[in-house]
Amino acid sequence: MLPILYHYDASPFAELVRAAFGVKGIAWGSVMVPNILPKPDQTRLTGSYARTPMVQVGADIYCDTGAILPALEALGGRSLYPAPLGPLHRMIASWANGPQFLAHVGAAMGAMPADAMGEGFIKDRQARFGMDLGQLGKSAPHLTGQAMVASAWLSDTLADGRAFIGGDAPGAGDLALYSNLWFVAAVPFAADTAAAMLARPHVADWYARLAGFGHGDRQELTADAALAHASAAPLPVSGGVDAPFAAGMMVGVAQEGNRDAPSVGRLLRCDAGGIVIARDVDGAGTVHVHFPRLGQVITPLPSREREGPAA
Ligand SMILES: N[C@@H](CCC(=O)N[C@@H](CS)C(=O)NCC(=O)O)C(=O)O
């Protein structure tokens, strides 16, 4: 089944997934969404989750790269968790996509003038993420210093001549570090910082090797064509439901670090391997919405509670 990415060009987390398609060498559908709310083509499937990227595979909807990459792994092609690091790639990606992502936001955007961001973007990020432009500007030197540590550690890791952080094959940890650097390199106001990062020994060659995988075989789709894929039956759910939650209860799933409304559904899975809720979508039937366990806040709801309007 064709994986379908909901994304916009400038998103570093979307670039991570586009690059993962390249590493895997697989075909994928592309649905473009705005970089600010509302995103109705996306939220009619997720219930509310509006962060970028989201990937749909049939009636299975994957929110957050922590759920998306394991789903892509199941589609075959080159592994995103190659030996010898294997699952350790997840820990490295979690550091790169967590505290290091915030540091790279400062490095990339700290010197960007407000008019280059646009009023709509600034209002969206203020309301959803509490972004404070003045504070971001003041924190930029500190955050840039934090981000430079990632390039230095990457350089140290590559010093023995290995092609990627785990050896000969690229993995999820490489992609997470790569997308942070890609973000800084994509912002003209951060050109000096990007140059300093890439000037660390071995880093530019490693970056070029990852970029060389490209983005796989991208096919543009309309949102309605993508919705039709959701009429398939969702995949059987693996894993279980850890206490204090119980299978079948109505829950809301929200994310640490933003104020977006929770996605509401019936809980099918909640363990270290991830979260799955079932929800009904007009025109498509039941879909399963997947999240990683890390970074998600689950709130049990009275079973009669109805979903609010999509974000
Ligand atoms: N933990 C998420 C983070 C995704 C994220 O923060 N994406 C940014 C864009 S790169 C976002 O959602 N920004 C708000 C938006 O796109 O509406 C993941 O790994 O996918």
Side-chain angles (χ1 to χ4, degrees), residues 12-68:
F13 281 96
E15 178 62 16
L16 194 166
V17 177
R18 293 185 293 251
F21 288 130
V23 166
K24 283 200 148 305
I26 58 177
W28 54 284
S30 159
V31 173
M32 302 307 287
V33 295
N35 65 354
I36 57 174
L37 295 181
K39 308 187 188 191
D41 295 334
Q42 176 170 331
T43 53
R44 66 184 171 182
L45 287 167
T46 62
S48 191
Y49 186 88
R51 292 179 80 163
T52 309
M54 180 276 265
V55 164
Q56 172 193 357
V57 187
D60 287 276
I61 310 300
Y62 298 93
C63 303
D64 192 297
T65 54
I68 293 169

Side-chain angles (χ1 to χ4, degrees), residues 139-241:
S139 307
H142 164 71
L143 293 171
T144 303
Q146 300 294 301
M148 289 304 299
V149 173
S151 309
W153 287 4
L154 177 60
S155 175
D156 294 346
T157 305
L158 299 168
D160 63 3
R162 65 186 67 201
F164 300 103
I165 59 173
D168 294 338
D174 292 278
L175 292 170
L177 292 162
Y178 170 80
S179 62
N180 281 348
L181 230 163
W182 177 90
F183 183 29
V184 180
V187 175
F189 304 98
D192 290 350
T193 305
M197 290 173 167
L198 290 165
R200 292 279 182 179
H202 320 292
V203 172
D205 288 346
W206 165 89
Y207 187 87
R209 277 193 287 276
L210 283 163
F213 283 99
H215 287 164
D217 176 11
R218 169 176 175 163
Q219 305 165 10
E220 297 305 325
L221 284 185
T222 64
D224 284 345
L227 181 67
H229 286 233
S231 302
L235 294 173
V237 176
S238 57
V241 176

